[in-house]
Amino acid sequence: MLAAPVSNPVPPDKALVALNRFGLGARPGDELGKIAADPRGYLKAELKQQDIALIPPDDPQNAGLLDSTAAIQASMAAVMERKTARDEKAAAAMQPTAAADPAGPADAKAKSAVPRVEADIYRDEARARFDKALAATPGFVERLVGFWSNHFCVSVAKAPVVRASAGAFEREAIRPFVLGRFADMLLTVEHHPAMLFYLDNQQSIGPDSRAGKRRGRGLNENLAREILELHTLGVGSGYAQADVTSFAGMLTGWTMAGREGRLGEPGTFVFNANTHQPGEAMLLGRTYPGGGMGQAEAALNDIARHPATARHIAVKLARHFIADDPTPAAVERLAAVFTKTDGDLRSIALTLIDMPETWSTPLTKLRSPLDYVVALRRAVGATAGNEPQRSLRWLNVLGEPLWQPPGPNGFSDQTDAWTSAEGLKTRLDIAWQAAKQANDIGDPNEMLASLIGTSVSAETKQAISRAESKQQGLALLLMAPEFQRR
């Protein structure tokens, strides 16, 4: 049984490295053979495509997607409808005689039911996300989207507003910049209502601001702390608690307009001068003069160029694409390119492709649940039943629900996080489900050759050749170490 992935002793060919380490996995056919002559060029060609990371709004499949403002407004309206329905139900319970409905109890219950629009928005966004990944060739850019979306994560478990806007957040704040400048992505992320709401910046009020003096409320340091600790400099980079507090003051006033629309259009980013901490502030030894919203923007631009930020991002990229413990040389090269190019992410992606470590390091990292589910669906093709519910359910049971990390630090990128006995058993169950639900299963031996190529081990080849049915052979292929690893 191949349920427990182990390191593949057979050196992978470079085509498989291109598709598994950088991309989202091969699809049945001759994809491995087509790219074997120039796997680096195959990856670089994707980076040259205009707007390759965007989910095109003119595609009929994406016609129902909402921008973040519309999604948040829909959630706000639904929350109020649900509240009204609960209040009416509670009032009716307090007045038994008035609660009688001539139409009958079933009809009265139907009147109180309000659809949860956030779930519909979330499902539509998930479908667009999966469709983009399944169609990608080879999927390096989609892997970059996944990396940055996890780096700058929000969680749909926070509140209905975030559940409604998480997909739009990724489309608006992540996708346009995955091959652009890090500083541009950073500023867009920190301005986005989904991030501001997720990290409670609407609750942060400058103690010396007009609102702070009137209400007697103070700072919430969540956003400032996570920007320094997770989004930019990293733990142990030299900033102190005083920097966190000072930066939190600089970020006061950055908020989302509420349902009443007193500060601006509901659901949009606004700067509330009444809650902003006035005066100059010091961060990392540099003084920033008072200046409203521009004060924190200037600080973010400086932090984006800090050497510690370059190293923090380099470590995370090397860990994601090369190994759990990347070599210092690999990290230093990525950090140097980050600094030299002012955080140009296309240049960093090209550097990853050209680094010898990415081609010589064995494929020993276990695919994350999201990478596994996408690779599985690409390999199997069409299946019976509705999507994306099945993929979302698989991600839930595997422990990586879409846009729902356990904390602001996102999901782990370490193999050990996904190698529990229960997790591997769940992968086996999903492999069997996928094989059972596949509409058209080809010869598993031929699929093995097209998905794994010459890197297949003798044990894997023998197990699949001895399968009692096509379904069993496909399930064994989907659990093979060579399929599980990237």
Side-chain angles (χ1 to χ4, degrees):
M1 180 62 67
L2 300 174
V6 295
S7 297
N8 187 357
V10 180
D13 62 35
K14 287 180 170 54
L16 190 67
V17 171
L19 286 167
N20 284 16
R21 168 156 289 149
F22 289 96
L24 292 167
R27 291 171 291 194
D30 190 32
E31 194 169 14
L32 281 172
K34 290 177 181 177
I35 69 174
D38 187 14
R40 285 182 172 86
Y42 183 68
L43 294 170
K44 291 179 180 180
E46 188 182 44
L47 302 183
K48 296 178 182 178
Q49 297 180 46
Q50 187 75 16
D51 298 331
I52 181 63
L54 303 184
I55 292 180
D58 55 348
D59 188 326
Q61 288 184 304
N62 304 327
L65 298 182
L66 304 177
D67 62 30
S68 58
T69 301
I72 292 171
Q73 290 178 357
S75 175
M76 288 175 171
V79 168
M80 287 306 299
E81 287 185 57
R82 292 194 290 267
K83 182 181 184 302
T84 300
R86 289 194 301 268
D87 292 346
E88 290 176 352
K89 184 176 181 180
M94 296 293 292
Q95 304 175 25
T97 56
D101 190 324
D107 192 53
K109 182 178 180 180
K111 286 182 179 181
S112 69
V114 177
R116 301 196 68 87
V117 299
E118 297 90 352
D120 294 335
I121 296 172
Y122 174 80
R123 185 186 62 248
D124 290 343
E125 292 284 358
R127 178 182 290 110
R129 168 74 124 81
F130 290 134
D131 287 348
K132 181 75 170 176
L134 295 177
T137 304
F140 182 28
V141 172
E142 283 302 293
R143 284 284 303 281
L144 290 168
V145 169
F147 171 85
W148 288 112
S149 186
N150 190 54
H151 179 78
F152 290 114
C153 67
V154 298
S155 174
V156 301
K158 173 73 174 186
V161 162
V162 185
R163 187 171 185 82
S165 60
F169 166 74
E170 184 178 276
R171 287 188 291 109
E172 296 166 357
I174 303 297
R175 288 185 176 275
F177 306 102
V178 292
L179 298 177
R181 290 175 67 249
F182 174 78
D184 293 335
M185 185 190 293
L186 176 66
L187 265 74
T188 306
V189 162
E190 310 308 350
H191 279 90
H192 200 281
M195 180 62 73
L196 295 170
F197 191 93
Y198 174 55
L199 292 178
D200 304 311
N201 211 58
Q202 74 279 5
Q203 300 175 17
S204 189
I205 298 177
D208 301 319
S209 67
R210 288 191 291 270
K213 290 177 178 178
R214 186 173 65 250
R215 302 180 198 175
R217 292 171 59 185
L219 300 176
N220 183 300
E221 297 182 350
N222 287 356
L223 179 63
R225 187 180 307 280
E226 306 310 353
I227 289 175
L228 298 178
E229 179 178 318
L230 302 175
H231 297 173
T232 58
L233 305 176
V235 178
S237 56
Y239 68 87
Q241 175 58 39
D243 292 307
V244 175
T245 302
S246 180
F247 193 29
M250 298 164 73
L251 288 162
T252 50
W254 290 41
T255 190
M256 179 184 77
R259 182 178 57 84
E260 300 83 2
R262 287 193 293 265
L263 296 174
E265 184 180 1
T268 62
F269 169 83
V270 292
F271 177 72
N272 184 0
N274 285 330
T275 62
H276 180 66
Q277 177 70 8
E280 67 179 26
M282 181 171 286
L283 179 66
L284 302 172
R286 178 173 296 186
T287 299
Y288 293 87
M293 183 171 66
Q295 186 182 49
E297 288 179 334
L300 284 169
N301 273 302
D302 288 342
I303 296 169
R305 296 180 172 91
H306 197 284
T309 297
R311 179 168 180 78
H312 180 56
I313 299 302
V315 168
K316 292 194 68 174
L317 281 167
R319 181 180 297 136
H320 182 83
F321 283 103
I322 303 176
D324 284 351
D325 297 305
T327 64
V331 171
E332 291 305 320
R333 183 173 179 188
L334 289 170
V337 172
F338 187 102
T339 300
K340 181 180 178 181
T341 64
D342 194 23
D344 180 73
L345 301 183
R346 186 189 301 271
S347 296
I348 294 168
L350 289 168
T351 300
L352 275 167
I353 294 173
D354 286 332
M355 288 173 62
E357 295 91 335
T358 56
W359 303 94
S360 61
T361 304
L363 296 172
T364 56
K365 282 184 67 73
L366 187 68
R367 276 177 164 149
S368 70
L370 179 59
D371 286 348
Y372 176 58
V373 168
V374 171
L376 180 150
R377 288 191 57 194
R378 284 166 66 94
V380 171
T383 58
N386 294 326
E387 293 291 354
Q389 288 89 334
R390 179 179 294 122
S391 295
L392 291 171
R393 185 170 61 252
W394 286 344
L395 289 175
N396 287 341
V397 298
L398 286 169
E400 193 180 11
L402 185 64
W403 299 317
Q404 191 178 330
N409 57 337
F411 292 105
S412 174
D413 218 351
Q414 301 276 65
T415 293
D416 288 349
W418 309 113
T419 53
S420 68
E422 182 63 27
L424 295 176
K425 179 183 179 301
T426 302
R427 291 188 185 222
L428 177 61
D429 292 341
I430 289 172
W432 278 103
Q433 290 176 35
K436 184 178 180 180
Q437 294 159 356
N439 289 345
D440 183 21
I441 302 177
D443 184 337
N445 294 294
E446 293 180 1
M447 290 184 67
L448 180 65
S450 65
L451 297 177
I452 307 299
T454 59
S455 298
V456 64
S457 67
E459 293 81 4
T460 296
K461 187 181 296 186
Q462 183 180 70
I464 292 175
S465 67
R466 292 178 176 178
E468 297 179 359
S469 66
K470 288 185 176 180
Q471 285 186 350
Q472 186 185 59
L474 177 57
L476 289 170
L477 168 56
L478 299 177
M479 271 307 294
E482 299 89 338
F483 189 84
Q484 291 285 333
R485 297 283 171 166
R486 62 171 176 83

